[in-house]
């Protein structure tokens, strides 16, 4: 079997997505996602100029060897652009293998370990009362788990908050917007949100919260401690993720479960976190973590250290990544939860898929391969539009983490 061609598509049905399609001499094709929010065209060039020429003529059945060729075989390893490009290839190859063997990819990963994949929704509001109400809407839809984000008095814009309720999208067209931030105001406000949520909905719903890498370890420790009475499912991305050792301080001080990983690209971003058991959930995405091939290995390593997965699933991870994540989630033993930020109907139409949502769970479906397709004609109606994630500054304009 041979790879005969590969094409990269950029489409923007509401937001930009980079999709790779790999064609074979058996008439079967595979799809992969290579989207990196705000840096989409870098992945396109990486694939078109550097990867695809080396891919043509290879046997698509040799997924491990092809993955190693583009990772180990290249002197310049790692980084989000490289790993997203490799992930796109890897997803497409698993898709092809599943289609060739006429079985869903989860069967190639060991088969189903559970009936369904528990997901969390993203509830947000400017006021605490609005966030609480919004969380209620998710619970009414059957969600068992909701991540809650709220505006902070004195701050005009806060990450994770938007007018759109079911489809939160932080990237904005044009040049990056700039926001202002105060950790002091934020830390004083957040415990009130959780008090209100537990008072309203009791102890049953799983509640999660994202700090978006804005705290120092000792600030994170304080927040984790103050949130202990509300029994969070997890506290996400407390500190900037480059310094794994930072989590040692947080861990010493709080029993609030910790999650991190949406910006990680390889196991080398997480090996200390895993082996020292400094986190509870690893949130790497199939697309930014290099594909299913390395993610299986990372999950297996994490399993030994009692760490579960919680794959990133924001709107910038295309339905192709969502499909791949669901096959992975349903197959591994140490699955924790899956983020599901819901794509817009326009996006779903461009990417028809076999996965379905019901009562707080996603089901990968039983179509062969990843169970995902790509409507090229429709995709062509949504051309690429430059868009950026915001830039964040402290109140005195010092540049800070977004
Ligand atoms: C999340 C995230 C997102 C990211 C976005 C960046 O946990 O869902 O933090 O909202 O900011 O995916 O591209
Ligand atoms: Mg996050």
């Amino acid at each position: 079997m041979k790879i005969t061609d590969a094409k990269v598509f950029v489409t923007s049905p509401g937001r930009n997505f980079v999709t790779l399609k790999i064609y074979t001499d058996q008439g079967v094709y595979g799809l992969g996602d290579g989207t990196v929010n705000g840096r989409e065209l870098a992945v396109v060039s990486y694939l078109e100029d550097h990867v695809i020429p080396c891919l043509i003529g290879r046997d698509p059945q040799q997924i491990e060897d092809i993955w190693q060729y583009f990772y180990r075989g290249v002197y310049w390893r790692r980084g989000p652009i490289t790993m997203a490009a490799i992930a796109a290839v890897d997803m497409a190859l698993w898709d092809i293998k599943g289609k060739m063997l006429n079985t869903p990819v989860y069967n190639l990963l060991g088969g189903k370990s559970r009936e369904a994949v528990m997901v969390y929704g993203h509830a947000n509001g400017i006021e605490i009362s609005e966030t609480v109400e919004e969380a209620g809407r998710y619970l009414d839809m059957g969600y068992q788990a909701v991540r809650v984000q709220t505006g902070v008095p004195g701050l005009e814009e806060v990450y994770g908050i938007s007018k759109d309720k079911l489809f939160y999208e932080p990237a904005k067209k044009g040049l990056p917007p700039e926001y202002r931030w105060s950790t002091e105001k934020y830390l004083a406000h957040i415990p009130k949100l959780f008090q209100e949520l537990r008072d309203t909905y009791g102890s049953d719903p799983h509640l999660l919260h994202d700090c978006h890498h804005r705290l120092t370890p000792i600030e994170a420790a304080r927040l984790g401690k103050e949130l202990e009475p509300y029994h969070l499912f997890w506290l996400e991305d407390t500190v900037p993720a480059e310094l794994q050792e930072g989590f040692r301080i947080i861990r010493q001080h709080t029993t609030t479960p910790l999650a991190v990983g949406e910006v990680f690209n390889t196991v080398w971003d997480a090996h200390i976190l895993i082996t020292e058991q400094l986190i509870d959930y690893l949130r790497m995405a199939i697309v930014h973590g290099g594909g299913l091939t390395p993610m299986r290995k990372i999950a297996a390593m994490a399993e030994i250290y009692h760490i579960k997965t919680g794959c990133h699933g924001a709107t910038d991870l295309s339905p192709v990544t969502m499909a791949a994540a669901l096959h992975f989630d349903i197959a591994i033993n140490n699955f924790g939860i899956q983020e599901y930020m819901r794509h817009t109907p326009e996006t779903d139409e461009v990417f028809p898929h076999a996965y379905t949502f019901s009562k707080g769970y996603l089901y990968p479906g039983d179509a062969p391969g990843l169970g995902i397709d790509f409507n090229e004609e429709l995709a062509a109606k949504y051309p690429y539009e430059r868009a950026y994630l915001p830039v964040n500054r402290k109140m005195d304009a010092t540049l800070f983490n977004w």
Side-chain angles (χ1 to χ4, degrees), residues 225-393:
K225 252 179 133 163
E226 290 183 7
L227 295 181
E228 275 170 25
Y230 313 111
H231 297 142
L232 267 63
F233 187 93
W234 80 35
L235 187 61
E236 170 179 335
D237 290 353
T238 49
V239 293
E242 292 94 333
L243 184 67
Q244 298 182 54
E245 291 87 335
F247 281 82
R248 288 182 186 141
I249 298 174
I250 313 171
R251 203 56 157 175
Q252 276 167 21
H253 291 283
T254 181
T255 57
T256 293
L258 302 172
V260 72
E262 66 182 52
V263 296
F264 291 172
N265 307 119
T266 70
V267 69
W268 305 112
D269 295 319
H271 65 294
I272 296 175
L273 296 174
I274 296 172
T275 55
E276 293 188 22
Q277 303 179 68
L278 299 177
I279 56 171
D280 301 278
Y281 297 92
L282 185 63
R283 297 192 57 256
M284 286 174 71
I286 308 294
V287 54
H288 302 132
L292 288 164
T293 297
M295 285 291 285
R296 297 166 74 197
K297 299 175 189 175
I298 297 169
M301 179 176 172
E303 183 182 349
I304 298 169
Y305 293 94
H306 309 288
I307 293 165
K308 297 185 199 135
T309 64
C311 290
H312 187 204
T315 39
D316 49 298
L317 299 128
S318 97
V320 182
T321 286
M322 185 53 74
L326 293 174
H327 287 266
F328 169 78
D329 295 340
I330 210 154
I332 59 170
N333 177 268
N334 56 327
F335 164 75
I337 198 166
Q338 168 69 49
E339 178 177 2
Y340 178 45
M341 229 198 244
R342 312 179 80 96
H343 291 106
T344 60
E346 292 77 22
T347 297
D348 281 339
E349 232 188 311
V350 171
F351 298 92
H353 47 75
Y355 63 80
T356 49
F357 172 85
S358 171
K359 298 186 183 131
Y361 291 88
L362 277 172
Y363 296 78
D366 50 15
L370 292 176
I372 185 89
D373 215 341
F374 182 61
N375 185 333
E376 285 177 43
E377 250 170 60
L378 192 58
K381 293 191 182 146
Y382 300 107
Y384 169 76
E385 292 184 88
R386 176 172 287 115
Y388 287 96
L389 289 169
V391 166
N392 191 36
R393 293 181 185 274

